Amino acid sequence: MTEVLGSADALAARIPDGAKVALPPDYSFCANALVRALIRRGAKDLHLVGVPAVGYQADVLIGAGCVATVETAAVTLGEFGLAPRFTAAIKAGTIRMLDATCPAIHGGLQAAERGAPFSVMRGLIGSDILARRPDWKVIDNPFADAEDPIVAIPALVPDVTMFHAPKADRLGNVFIGVRRECMVMAHAAKAAFITVEEIVDGDLAHAPETASGTIPGLYVSAIAEVKEGAWPQGIPGGYGPDLAHIGRYVEMARSEAGFAQYLQETVLGAEAAE
Amino acid sequence: MSDQVQLEEILIGSIAGMLDGLGHVAVGASSPVPGAAALLTRARSNGATRVSVLGSENHNFFTDGAKELFDCAGQGRIDAFFLGGAQIDGKANINLVSIGDPDRPKARFPGSFGSAYMYYVVPRVILFRLEHTPRTLVEAVDYISAPGVSEPGVHRPGGPHALITDRCLFSFDKSRARFTLASVHPGHTVEEIAEQTGFDYDLPEGGVPETAAPDAESLALIRGPVAQQLAEIYPSFASRVFGIDKAA
């Protein structure tokens, strides 16, 4: 049974230190209320997996000292440029970086959702990404007539998938529409903790207009209703990103002191649990 | 915005000239100029050229999540794509990761995105770099996000077609793994390109032409519907270049 919890903080309490946590990219469904709750909880040593890239969520978690490892194809704040706390941590050598390329992340998760040991993918051969990933192997295509090297990506199994979706029902079915990377992330992970804009009556997995874009509660460990839970990012099809806030974040996060002040104002301070 | 043709408009027109007639052009992250060029190509083709812009809700065909772009490219359903690089070298290797030792870099960039796949499988990849200096166009990159060419035997239907910068356009010959200076943008010179480029390249026989500015019809499309469409995806760029302050 999917648990229905009362807050983002209640979800964050279920995500252990050291967990491998899959996050969607900035243009998808970012659970930023849950990110803030993880920081309030004092989460440590997280291994973030950006599917396939990640932005603000990772930068804030890194700056707050919650992260040991980042595995992704890119960390970017889009038009706002480089992610300042990520960049500082890499230069200081305080986090481990596993550089990937987008379809390798997708391929690893797809192997995991199939219960298969690996996926194969074209590309990568001759790159330093591959040279620095001893966990990825070049194998010979067994079906080719001639030599045909191809890269095997092992199954990528997150301990936790977290994101913020438009709606869920009380059975734990979560509607994600066309943001189907969230579907793969939920299938592949051992647990999925999802905040939603609203919890609705009925059964989203059996209503014809929502069924094809709905993750069945089977894959969903717990949900919580959190209004504007993506803020300061937007939710596609809903509200837009708070560009003024993100711009201010980028300014403040340039220095450690500025970032600490940002955390105090936005995450830890007067504002209570979400 | 003045009536003078801006650099961005020359770049948009020049890139669109390399896309005309293609069936499906995809545009990746943080690429407003290539995005505008793809939208211009679509406008000039009366919709015959399909365009998919990553991160756009209105100009994107995909309904199967973030992986669909790559699956689609792997099947050969994408004809052209764009890549950049903090560094690009004379063999068209691109670096989107770091300068210096990757474990303790002097500079760190976002990362390789889908380059280590798209560069191999999309037939016409156009490299795009707005800072043309010996610091960015180098003899050999510090980190290979994706190589320009591959060893025989490696599946490689795709690869670099051209490199466009704020100063000029280079074409790329895959068989020789070398760039040729194809045209120089208005206000720039062949001598300046030589000074500002860190890698060796070839010069065409019979001299280097000037990059053509977009014709009046294309310019009207760029400043009209293309700029409006772009504002949804790249609001700051649309505001700075076209003076559009709100997404349409």
Side-chain angles (χ1 to χ4, degrees), chain A residues 47-183:
Chain A
H47 175 140
L48 305 183
V49 179
V51 183
V54 73
Y56 173 83
Q57 303 166 94
D59 205 53
V60 183
L61 285 167
I62 292 166
C66 304
V67 178
T69 301
V70 178
E71 178 172 7
T72 191
V75 181
T76 173
L77 298 180
E79 272 202 302
F80 290 97
L82 297 175
R85 290 295 94 201
F86 163 73
T87 310
I90 289 282
K91 284 190 184 174
T94 54
I95 56 171
R96 184 171 69 120
M97 182 67 194
L98 297 174
D99 271 289
T101 188
C102 302
I105 297 281
H106 296 309
L109 292 172
Q110 286 173 289
E113 74 174 345
R114 288 196 295 267
F118 62 86
S119 287
V120 291
M121 64 170 282
R122 293 300 190 185
L124 277 171
I125 295 170
S127 72
D128 283 328
I129 304 173
L130 179 63
R132 292 171 58 82
R133 290 297 300 256
D135 52 330
W136 298 353
K137 308 285 184 201
V138 178
I139 62 174
D140 195 36
N141 173 3
F143 300 102
D145 296 329
E147 182 198 15
D148 183 19
I150 188 163
V151 180
I153 306 290
L156 175 50
V157 184
D159 296 308
V160 171
T161 272
M162 56 180 259
F163 57 86
H164 178 75
K167 59 185 170 182
D169 61 30
R170 288 181 177 77
L171 304 166
N173 302 311
V174 176
F175 180 74
I176 47 113
V178 298
R179 295 273 38 119
R180 295 184 72 86
E181 59 277 354
C182 294
M183 179 83 81

Side-chain angles (χ1 to χ4, degrees), chain A residues 141-231:
Chain A
N141 173 3
F143 300 102
D145 296 329
E147 182 198 15
D148 183 19
I150 188 163
V151 180
I153 306 290
L156 175 50
V157 184
D159 296 308
V160 171
T161 272
M162 56 180 259
F163 57 86
H164 178 75
K167 59 185 170 182
D169 61 30
R170 288 181 177 77
L171 304 166
N173 302 311
V174 176
F175 180 74
I176 47 113
V178 298
R179 295 273 38 119
R180 295 184 72 86
E181 59 277 354
C182 294
M183 179 83 81
V184 181
M185 285 162 56
H187 288 173
K190 294 175 188 166
F193 296 106
I194 300 166
T195 58
V196 295
E197 284 294 311
E198 58 171 342
I199 295 178
V200 298
D201 294 330
D203 181 350
L204 294 166
H206 289 91
E209 64 276 16
T210 51
S212 65
T214 292
I215 303 171
L218 170 67
Y219 302 96
V220 181
S221 314
I223 56 173
E225 184 177 275
V226 182
K227 297 282 182 214
E228 298 190 9
W231 179 86

